[in-house]
């Protein structure tokens, strides 16, 4: 029989504990899985009256275990105590003032039991008590939901904690952020669904109410993570939480086109972008001081393109200007003499979607020759065959990776594109390649 251990730290929470526990007991039974629950409540040295209320609650149901701490050690220490007591194959958490939606276990169990994910979670829905407001301008939808680090949104395989991923008891706040950091640094298999798996209540006694960034230990947590990554020589960036959202809609891709006197080729490049079957694209063109009317051509024929016209500063600067102007979560580049095959962006996105730890993807390219163009003598015979391309036109890269790399090196007069690839590899940024010709590189 599958046993699920649910750990609840509490401190002077009163009636809220009963509501949290009831939301666990109210779970819809998954059709494929029979399971039992053990509820482990860790009273973190509450006042006597509050403790007695919780004790009375625990005495009503043999599935509830109550552990009382002599001293208040904070949520991290309380959860660790619960973990040492837990006997379940699956571990779950809920804070005493939060609620599980009825279908949480039904949604998440298949991913940890059948698809071999170590951690499965969903979105957090924020519930405001009357008179309370939350100043957030980045809700992911009209339901006041976010993809966030709240532990109560998750199911976790027991072996994660057997590997030593306990909570840092030195952190009174942000111990959950620190835990998430360590999981991602070690490339644990995580998935986050688009469904709500936690209802997080906003009220006047929230633990983090009116705390500063310093008090929340966020800078300390970030410093600890950076120190660990440096010591272990792993990639200096780790996936953002949204990178684990396998079933989300297509994230925006910003396609950056640097142009310099490209009238003869730019229409072919732009049309190849419009022929993509990826549904969420913005195009940013940087005209780098063209004298052949390229800027006017785009203005008159492609008004939907975000156009930046500037004095000539070079292709490297143009690419960096495009990155700064981009709104996309993912960045692609297309030179004016390049042409994408249909499906290029979709196939590369599939690689990133299926591997949140992958940071950049290339593809194969085919060299194409205009009429009467003589092939350069330095080209080797194998270059006439499809081969992996490392030029910017082949790339799809996560924007946070590019920002971490500080874009292209404008101090280099030539080779800034190959320099970027070299720095990505030197920095251990995970990569992938689509083994298909998805790029034509034209020579006219």
């Amino acid at each position: 029989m599958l046993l699920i251990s649910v750990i609840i730290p509490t401190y002077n929470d009163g009636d809220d504990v009963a509501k949290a526990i009831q939301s666990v007991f109210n779970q819809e039974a998954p059709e494929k899985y029979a399971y039992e629950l053990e509820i482990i409540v860790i009273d973190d040295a509450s006042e006597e009256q509050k403790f007695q209320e919780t004790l009375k609650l625990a005495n009503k149901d043999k599935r509830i275990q109550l552990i009382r701490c002599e001293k208040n050690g904070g949520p991290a220490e309380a959860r660790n105590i619960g973990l040492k007591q837990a006997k379940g194959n699956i571990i779950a958490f809920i804070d005493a003032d939060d609620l599980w939606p009825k279908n949480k276990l039904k949604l998440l169990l298949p991913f940890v039991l059948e698809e071999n994910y170590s951690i499965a979670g969903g979105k957090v829905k924020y519930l405001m008590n009357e008179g309370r407001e939350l100043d957030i301008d980045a809700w992911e939808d009209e339901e006041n939901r976010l993809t966030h680090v709240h532990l109560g949104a998750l199911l976790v395989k027991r072996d994660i904690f057997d590997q030593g991923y306990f909570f840092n008891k030195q952190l009174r706040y942000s111990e959950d952020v620190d835990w998430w950091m360590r999981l991602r640094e070690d490339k644990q298999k995580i998935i986050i669904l688009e469904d709500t798996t936690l209802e997080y209540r906003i009220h006047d006694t929230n633990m983090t109410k009116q705390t500063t960034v310093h008090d929340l230990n966020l800078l300390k947590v970030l410093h600890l993570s950076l120190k660990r990554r440096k010591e272990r020589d792993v990639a200096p960036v780790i996936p953002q939480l949204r990178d684990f959202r396998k079933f989300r809609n297509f994230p925006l891709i910003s396609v950056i086109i640097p142009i310099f006197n490209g009238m003869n080729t730019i229409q072919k490049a732009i049309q190849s972008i419009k022929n993509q079957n990826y549904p969420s694209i913005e195009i940013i063109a940087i005209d780098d001081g063209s004298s052949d009317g390229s800027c006017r051509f785009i203005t008159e024929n492609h008004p939907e393109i975000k156009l930046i016209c500037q004095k000539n500063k070079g292709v490297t600067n143009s690419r960096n200007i495009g990155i700064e102007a981009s709104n996309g979560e993912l960045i692609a580049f297309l030179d004016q003499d390049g042409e994408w095959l249909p499906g290029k962006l979709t196939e590369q996105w599939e690689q990133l979607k299926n591997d949140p730890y992958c940071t950049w993807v290339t593809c194969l390219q085919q060299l194409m020759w205009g009429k009467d163009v003589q092939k350069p003598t330095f080209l080797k015979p194998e270059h006439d065959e499809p081969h992996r391309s490392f030029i910017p036109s082949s790339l799809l890269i996560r924007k946070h990776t590019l920002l971490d790399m500080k874009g292209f090196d404008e101090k280099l007069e030539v080779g800034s594109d190959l320099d970027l690839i070299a720095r990505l590899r030197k920095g251990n940024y995970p990569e992938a390649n689509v083994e298909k010709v998805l790029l034509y590189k034209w020579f006219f």
Side-chain angles (χ1 to χ4, degrees):
M1 175 71 73
L2 177 67
L3 178 62
I4 301 175
S5 299
V6 183
I7 297 171
I8 309 178
T10 178
Y11 175 69
N12 290 338
D13 288 300
D15 294 339
D16 287 338
V17 184
K19 296 176 183 177
I21 291 174
Q22 192 58 50
S23 75
V24 176
F25 287 153
N26 286 345
Q27 290 297 295
E28 298 173 350
E31 296 176 3
K32 296 177 64 175
Y33 313 108
Y35 68 87
E36 294 179 352
L37 289 168
E38 67 169 3
I39 311 292
I40 305 172
V41 180
I42 303 92
D43 185 280
D44 198 18
S46 297
E47 297 172 2
E48 182 63 27
Q49 180 182 347
K50 298 294 184 181
F51 170 73
Q52 291 298 326
E53 293 176 7
T54 307
L55 179 60
K56 186 182 298 184
L57 174 67
N59 288 336
K60 292 180 179 179
D61 196 310
K62 64 180 181 180
R63 293 172 292 179
I64 303 173
Q65 304 175 43
L66 177 60
I67 302 171
R68 189 180 194 186
C69 301
E70 294 182 3
K71 294 182 180 179
N72 182 274
E77 178 66 8
R79 292 191 184 103
N80 287 343
I81 291 170
L83 286 167
K84 292 173 183 177
Q85 183 69 22
K87 298 180 177 63
N89 318 78
I90 303 295
I91 305 294
F93 302 93
I94 183 171
D95 287 347
D97 52 354
D98 295 332
L99 302 170
W100 280 3
K102 291 183 178 181
N103 61 345
K104 173 180 173 165
L105 294 181
K106 191 174 183 179
L107 287 167
L108 297 182
L109 278 173
F111 291 95
V112 293
L113 295 178
E114 295 181 24
E115 299 197 28
N116 203 32
Y117 285 94
S118 296
I119 301 101
K123 292 189 178 184
V124 180
K125 182 175 182 178
Y126 288 74
L127 305 176
M128 267 67 74
N129 282 7
E130 188 175 350
R132 290 281 284 124
E133 294 184 1
L134 195 61
D135 186 20
I136 292 181
D137 56 4
W139 296 118
E140 293 174 4
D141 51 43
E142 296 180 355
E143 297 182 56
N144 289 2
R145 298 194 304 167
L146 289 175
T147 304
H148 206 8
V149 298
H150 293 302
L151 299 172
L154 309 176
L155 289 186
V156 186
K157 280 186 176 178
R158 175 59 188 251
D159 63 5
I160 283 291
F161 301 103
D162 293 340
Q163 295 173 48
Y165 289 94
F166 288 91
F167 300 97
N168 186 345
K169 64 181 181 181
Q170 304 300 321
L171 298 172
R172 196 165 190 84
Y173 298 101
S174 298
E175 77 289 342
D176 48 356
V177 179
D178 174 76
W179 184 76
W180 268 109
M181 288 282 196
R182 287 183 282 133
L183 291 171
R184 288 179 283 166
E185 290 163 22
D186 292 342
K187 296 186 178 181
Q188 293 291 345
K189 194 173 181 185
I190 302 167
I191 189 169
I192 297 177
L193 309 187
E194 299 303 292
D195 307 88
T196 300
T197 55
L198 179 69
E199 295 178 352
Y200 182 86
R201 289 178 47 224
I202 302 297
H203 51 81
D204 290 332
T205 57
N206 282 117
M207 187 175 172
T208 56
K209 186 175 182 289
Q210 295 182 345
T211 51
T212 66
V213 172
H214 180 269
D215 293 335
L216 288 173
N217 294 317
L218 289 173
L219 296 179
K220 181 177 181 180
V221 166
L222 179 59
H223 174 74
L224 289 171
S225 177
L226 291 172
K227 182 180 178 182
R228 286 191 298 267
R229 283 177 265 166
K230 184 176 180 180
E231 290 173 348
R232 296 168 55 192
D233 193 28
V234 297
V237 297
I238 54 178
Q240 298 182 349
L241 290 181
R242 64 188 179 188
D243 295 337
F244 296 102
R245 291 171 53 194
K246 186 175 180 179
F247 299 109
R248 61 178 163 156
N249 293 329
F250 296 90
L252 179 66
I253 296 178
S254 297
V255 181
I256 297 168
I257 312 176
I259 303 170
F260 179 70
N261 292 338
M263 276 291 291
N264 293 333
T265 59
I266 191 60
Q267 179 58 38
K268 182 190 293 288
I270 291 174
Q271 190 59 50
S272 77
I273 299 172
K274 293 186 175 183
N275 289 343
Q276 295 297 302
N277 59 1
Y278 190 91
S280 183
I281 298 173
E282 70 167 1
I283 306 175
I284 304 171
I286 299 86
D287 186 277
D288 194 36
S290 296
S291 58
D292 67 346
S294 295
C295 198
R296 183 178 66 255
F297 172 81
I298 292 177
T299 300
E300 293 176 353
N301 295 279
H302 299 284
E304 75 283 359
I305 292 178
K306 183 187 296 186
L307 178 62
I308 300 172
C309 298
Q310 64 179 25
K311 294 181 180 179
N312 183 267
K313 297 181 182 179
V315 65
T316 303
N317 172 266
S318 295
R319 291 184 181 124
N320 285 339
I321 291 295
I323 294 168
E324 290 178 9
S326 66
N327 296 307
E329 179 181 328
L330 306 171
I331 304 290
F333 303 92
L334 183 58
D335 290 342
Q336 63 191 33
D337 56 1
E339 179 185 1
W340 286 345
L341 276 67
K344 190 261 189 188
L345 294 180
T346 299
E347 298 231 19
Q348 290 184 310
W349 161 238
E350 285 293 319
Q351 294 274 350
L352 294 175
K353 181 179 72 171
N354 291 326
D355 183 0
Y357 295 99
C358 181
T359 55
W360 56 285
V361 184
T362 55
C363 64
L364 303 187
Q365 72 172 0
Q366 178 72 60
L367 303 186
M368 307 293 287
W369 306 94
K371 187 177 180 180
D372 298 327
V373 173
Q374 295 294 321
K375 295 182 182 180
T377 57
F378 62 81
L379 285 180
K380 299 178 180 179
E382 57 262 31
H383 288 143
D384 279 335
E385 300 298 322
H387 56 277
R388 186 178 183 184
S389 173
F390 293 101
I391 65 174
S393 295
S394 75
L395 278 177
L396 182 64
I397 186 168
R398 299 190 194 273
K399 184 176 181 179
H400 63 76
T401 297
L402 266 179
L403 295 178
D404 188 71
M405 296 294 294
K406 298 180 173 55
F408 295 86
D409 188 349
E410 296 184 30
K411 297 191 295 295
L412 298 175
E413 293 185 8
V414 294
S416 63
D417 48 356
L418 294 179
D419 169 74
L420 177 70
I421 299 298
R423 287 188 287 130
L424 285 167
R425 285 183 157 175
K426 184 178 180 180
N428 295 317
Y429 290 83
E431 64 184 272
N433 182 55
V434 178
E435 296 292 334
K436 292 182 181 179
V437 174
L438 298 174
L439 170 65
Y440 289 156
K441 169 70 174 175
W442 283 94
F443 292 87
F444 294 97

